[in-house]
């Protein structure tokens, strides 16, 4: 595996690969790699000649100092995982290589960034937009892979690439879960064993919504019941829980005429913020 830390060196190397007609897949990550990341890598390997994985904990997208300083950093074991999964290139820039100076531009995503995560994590998506823009410029991939666990992020990045004509296909990959349904996340490393048990109720709530939608109950009734389920789960503190359309991510009142919807939730366990969602096709 080749390793790069300077954006220009990566760009130069990729230009050489592209001139010999190699297709490039990019998997952006913040490291502490798990099976969720590996499913993105697997898909990228299936669809491209060369796979680049980036590992960079982006300070710009954290709106909470404790969350940033406590974010797991496991680069030595990440490298082993990447090598054993036949990844071609690791791009792991330092903070100063990525941000020689603090960016003065800002990216406004509009309405789509003001709901769900955007409502509770001010500035988060602006930071994501800047780092993904930089990664796409440096790696110049044909395809970039994002997890649908971060559904809003996926939709925003896809829109950004369309709006700014990035010549890249943005590919969404299904969420990987543990045996209890808990979505894998680097943040799970910070949970206690008891916390892991409690956190699996996040997905249980989503599955309750799914079964109630399939049996035709009203949105209002479903929301009341699931909010009660979450409220009575000790150790779980829900930040938001919404049933939304998949275009604007706005809360819906009925779903009878929709083709698809998403159930989105964020909450805290052991003081760690976790998110999850379920994407439902109705027709
Ligand atoms: P992160 O390192 O948490 O920033 O995640 C890097 C990429 O992996 C993002 O596109 C995430 O959406 C994706 N990802 C994280 N967890 C999972 C998961 N459990 N299943 C699938 N993709 C995931």
């Amino acid at each position: 595996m080749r390793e790069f830390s300077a954006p220009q060196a990566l760009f130069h190397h990729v230009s050489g690969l592209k001139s010999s007609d190699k297709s490039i897949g990019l998997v952006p990550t913040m490291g502490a790699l798990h099976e969720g990341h590996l499913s993105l890598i697997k898909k990228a390997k299936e669809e491209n000649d060369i796979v680049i994985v980036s590992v960079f904990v982006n300070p710009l997208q954290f709106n909470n100092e404790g969350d940033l300083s406590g974010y797991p950093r496991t680069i030595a074991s990440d490298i082993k995982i990447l090598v054993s999964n036949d990844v071609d290139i690791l791009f792991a820039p330092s903070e100063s290589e990525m941000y020689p100076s603090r960016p003065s531009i800002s990216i406004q995503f509009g309405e789509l960034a003001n709901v769900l995560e955007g409502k509770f994590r001010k500035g988060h998506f602006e930071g994501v937009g800047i780092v993904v823009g930089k990664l796409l410029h440096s790696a110049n991939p044909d395809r970039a892979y994002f997890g649908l666990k971060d559904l809003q992020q996926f939709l925003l990045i896809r829109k950004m690439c369309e709006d700014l004509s990035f010549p890249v296909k943005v590919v969404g990959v299904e969420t990987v879960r543990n045996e209890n349904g808990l979505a894998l996340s680097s943040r799970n490393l910070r949970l206690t064993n008891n916390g892991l048990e409690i956190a699996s109720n996040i997905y249980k709530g989503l599955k309750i919504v799914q079964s109630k939608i399939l049996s035709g109950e009203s949105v209002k009734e479903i929301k009341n019941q699931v909010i009660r389920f979450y409220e009575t789960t000790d150790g779980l503190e829900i930040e938001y829980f919404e049933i939304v359309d998949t275009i604007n991510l706005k809360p819906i009142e009925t779903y009878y005429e929709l083709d698809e919807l998403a159930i989105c939730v964020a909450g805290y366990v052991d003081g760690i913020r976790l998110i999850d969602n379920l994407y439902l096709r109705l027709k």
Side-chain angles (χ1 to χ4, degrees), residues 28-30 34 36-37 40 71 146-147 149-150 174-176 184:
T29 82
M30 296 202 298
H34 51 67
H37 298 114
L40 272 62
Y71 199 86
F146 293 88
K149 176 171 96 74
D150 299 289
E174 286 301 324
T175 302
V176 179
L184 299 188

Side-chain angles (χ1 to χ4, degrees), residues 27-40 54 56 61 71 145-151 153-154 171 173-178 182-188:
V27 180
T29 82
M30 296 202 298
L33 300 177
H34 51 67
E35 289 291 330
H37 298 114
L38 291 182
S39 78
L40 272 62
S54 63
F56 180 65
Q61 72 189 66
Y71 199 86
Y145 296 81
F146 293 88
L148 295 174
K149 176 171 96 74
D150 299 289
L151 179 66
Q153 167 174 281
F154 167 74
V171 182
V173 181
E174 286 301 324
T175 302
V176 179
R177 303 177 178 282
N178 76 7
L182 174 65
L184 299 188
S185 164
S186 307
R187 288 189 166 87
N188 295 355

Side-chain angles (χ1 to χ4, degrees), residues 14-22:
V14 170
S15 301
L17 292 168
K18 290 198 128 181
S19 64
S20 49
D21 264 353
K22 300 282 189 211

Side-chain angles (χ1 to χ4, degrees), residues 10-269:
L10 176 68
F11 182 83
H12 185 72
H13 182 70
V14 170
S15 301
L17 292 168
K18 290 198 128 181
S19 64
S20 49
D21 264 353
K22 300 282 189 211
S23 60
I24 312 286
L26 171 69
V27 180
T29 82
M30 296 202 298
L33 300 177
H34 51 67
E35 289 291 330
H37 298 114
L38 291 182
S39 78
L40 272 62
I41 291 171
K42 184 162 174 273
K43 191 150 179 64
K45 283 186 70 74
E46 283 163 12
E47 297 181 347
N48 302 277
D49 298 319
I50 301 288
V51 172
I52 305 175
V53 174
S54 63
V55 173
F56 180 65
V57 180
N58 175 34
L60 243 53
Q61 72 189 66
F62 286 79
N63 54 343
N64 174 322
E65 195 40 54
D67 193 19
L68 173 60
S69 59
Y71 199 86
R73 288 163 169 86
T74 58
I75 190 69
S77 71
D78 288 347
I79 289 175
K80 285 194 190 128
I81 291 172
L82 294 174
V83 169
S84 67
N85 282 275
D86 288 329
V87 166
D88 303 287
I89 298 173
L90 165 66
F91 178 48
S94 67
E95 220 175 291
S96 62
E97 282 168 312
M98 205 54 163
Y99 297 114
S101 62
R102 201 180 166 84
S104 46
I105 65 151
S106 74
I107 300 181
Q108 298 300 321
F109 288 99
E111 275 305 291
L112 197 51
N114 294 334
V115 294
L116 304 177
E117 289 297 285
K119 191 162 153 191
F120 290 92
R121 300 186 72 191
K122 292 287 170 219
H124 169 67
F125 286 124
E126 287 76 359
V128 170
I130 287 179
V131 82
V132 172
K134 280 174 173 276
L135 291 170
L136 292 176
H137 281 308
S138 308
N140 196 13
D142 299 282
R143 299 176 193 82
Y145 296 81
F146 293 88
L148 295 174
K149 176 171 96 74
D150 299 289
L151 179 66
Q152 192 172 13
Q153 167 174 281
F154 167 74
L155 295 174
L156 286 169
I157 297 295
R158 196 174 61 177
K159 186 70 168 65
M160 178 180 85
C161 290
E162 182 189 314
D163 288 357
L164 295 175
S165 301
F166 277 94
V168 63
K169 179 163 191 252
V170 177
V171 182
V173 181
E174 286 301 324
T175 302
V176 179
R177 303 177 178 282
N178 76 7
E179 62 286 0
N180 292 327
L182 174 65
L184 299 188
S185 164
S186 307
R187 288 189 166 87
N188 295 355
L189 287 176
R190 302 178 64 196
L191 295 174
T192 58
N193 284 342
N194 186 35
L196 283 167
E197 290 284 323
I198 295 167
S200 63
N201 287 294
I202 295 175
Y203 184 60
K204 286 207 183 93
L206 297 179
K207 293 298 278 182
I208 295 173
V209 182
Q210 178 181 29
S211 71
K212 288 182 181 299
I213 285 177
L214 296 178
S215 59
E217 291 186 37
S218 74
V219 167
K220 192 167 169 210
E221 185 53 29
I222 296 171
K223 280 183 95 169
N224 285 340
Q225 291 182 43
V226 174
I227 286 169
R228 218 171 307 132
F229 167 75
Y230 282 140
E231 277 175 358
T232 53
T233 302
D234 281 344
L236 173 64
E237 199 188 309
I238 291 298
E239 188 167 65
Y240 66 75
F241 160 69
E242 298 285 1
I243 305 175
V244 298
D245 72 79
T246 52
I247 296 167
N248 302 311
L249 299 179
K250 287 271 165 62
I252 55 167
E253 281 170 16
T254 67
Y255 53 86
Y256 304 112
E257 291 184 351
L258 292 180
D259 289 342
E260 53 189 31
L261 55 76
I263 314 152
C264 301
V265 59
Y268 287 86
V269 176

